[in-house]
Amino acid sequence: MTTDSGRFDGYGVLVTGGARGIGAATARRLAREGARVLVADRDAAEAGRHAATLREQGGTAEGVGCDVADRASVEAAVARAVDAFGSLDVLVNNAAHCTPDGARFEDGEDEDWAADLDVTLVGAYRCCRAALPHLAASGRGAVVSIGSVNGLQHFGNHAYSAAKAGLMSLTRTLAGHAGPRGVRVNLVAPGTVRTRAWEGRDDDLEAMRRVYPLRRVGEPEDIAAAVAFLASRDAAWITGHTLVVDGGITAVNSGFLHALSGPPED
């Protein structure tokens, strides 16, 4: 990675769940555009390795262990970013937890719902709460959260979907609160993205690819590009917005078309 002098020169950025997948791609994209990135992840060793890779590629990055389900851990990560970079200008809420659904809704466990909500929704709240004073002080603060099309339509995973829908609501309400303080708050809602969660499921990805209007599933870099836009001054008059980045899947009723005219053609 050659560092591009660009939109994030001098910015301090914190990316949760930043060691892998969408978080790792986002950290890489922002570092490439000049940001100083704190890669925060529950897996501290992996966060450190990814930060080291970004440095080897010419970026400025540090890694830190951070469990967004723990207030003290979140506050320590935010303090680390401010101490290391002198400011915190962008927070990317990417950490999430998804419990697979059981066969029947009524067989679900409270603990599964609590885990998905606590990491995916309440974790983002904890991060915003800790970061907001610093984002407001920066004069160019932005929050970008990673939601999901699951928060818009039924794609399974009840608890995860409810948490992502809640995150969309938090994006709107926090945008209203933080706007007068100079902080923008937005969300990217991805469709299916090729991440570690899909390892060993190539047949499933191939089946899903064919129902996407663009005939492919997303890559982490697709989402990172959208995050970079919303975090940058290019989006200076955008706040409280959910940007759907989904290859068109929520725009097209693929199941209806399949029933009407047969399987999609490549």
Side-chain angles (χ1 to χ4, degrees):
M1 175 182 69
T2 300
T3 301
D4 299 330
S5 177
R7 293 184 292 184
F8 299 102
D9 284 351
Y11 278 57
V13 175
L14 171 62
V15 181
T16 69
R20 303 179 182 88
I22 291 171
T26 298
R28 184 165 53 248
R29 174 65 183 254
L30 298 180
R32 194 178 71 207
E33 293 197 44
R36 299 165 296 175
V37 181
L38 184 64
V39 178
D41 199 280
R42 189 167 59 177
D43 187 335
E46 192 64 26
R49 283 191 287 270
H50 187 51
T53 298
L54 296 181
R55 292 194 299 271
E56 291 168 1
Q57 294 172 344
T60 300
E62 296 188 13
V64 66
C66 178
D67 180 358
V68 300
D70 180 79
R71 179 173 183 171
S73 181
V74 167
E75 292 177 347
V78 169
R80 172 80 173 271
V82 174
D83 289 345
F85 307 139
S87 68
L88 180 59
D89 304 283
V90 175
L91 167 66
V92 180
N93 289 311
N94 174 67
H97 188 279
C98 181
T99 303
D101 289 337
R104 301 191 306 171
F105 183 83
E106 58 266 36
D107 294 333
E109 298 291 341
D110 288 0
E111 292 79 7
D112 294 336
W113 273 76
D116 283 14
L117 290 168
D118 195 35
V119 174
T120 306
L121 176 56
V122 185
Y125 156 71
R126 293 186 185 100
C127 293
C128 291
R129 178 178 59 191
L132 188 56
H134 304 287
L135 297 172
S138 82
R140 56 190 181 188
V143 177
V144 184
S145 296
I146 306 301
S148 173
V149 294
N150 285 54
L152 294 166
Q153 294 184 10
H154 169 54
F155 290 98
N157 300 114
H158 300 292
Y160 174 81
S161 299
K164 291 296 190 181
L167 192 53
M168 290 180 184
S169 179
L170 177 61
T171 295
R172 294 188 293 270
T173 59
L174 185 57
H177 171 81
R181 302 170 70 178
V183 179
R184 297 179 301 104
V185 186
N186 292 292
L187 180 144
V188 177
T192 304
V193 177
R194 192 189 310 274
T195 63
R196 191 177 63 166
W198 294 99
E199 284 183 2
R201 299 178 62 185
D202 291 345
D203 289 346
D204 290 336
L205 286 174
E206 174 61 19
M208 284 185 288
R209 178 193 70 77
R210 299 187 68 213
V211 301
Y212 273 82
L214 292 181
R215 294 298 188 266
R216 70 176 179 90
V217 299
E219 301 295 338
E221 291 74 18
D222 294 317
I223 311 309
V227 173
F229 165 66
L230 288 174
S232 77
R233 297 302 296 172
D234 290 338
W237 212 46
I238 300 174
T239 196
H241 183 68
T242 291
L243 176 59
V244 179
V245 183
D246 70 346
I249 194 67
T250 58
V252 176
N253 191 327
S254 300
F256 175 82
L257 295 176
H258 185 177
L260 187 66
S261 58
E265 296 180 0
D266 288 328

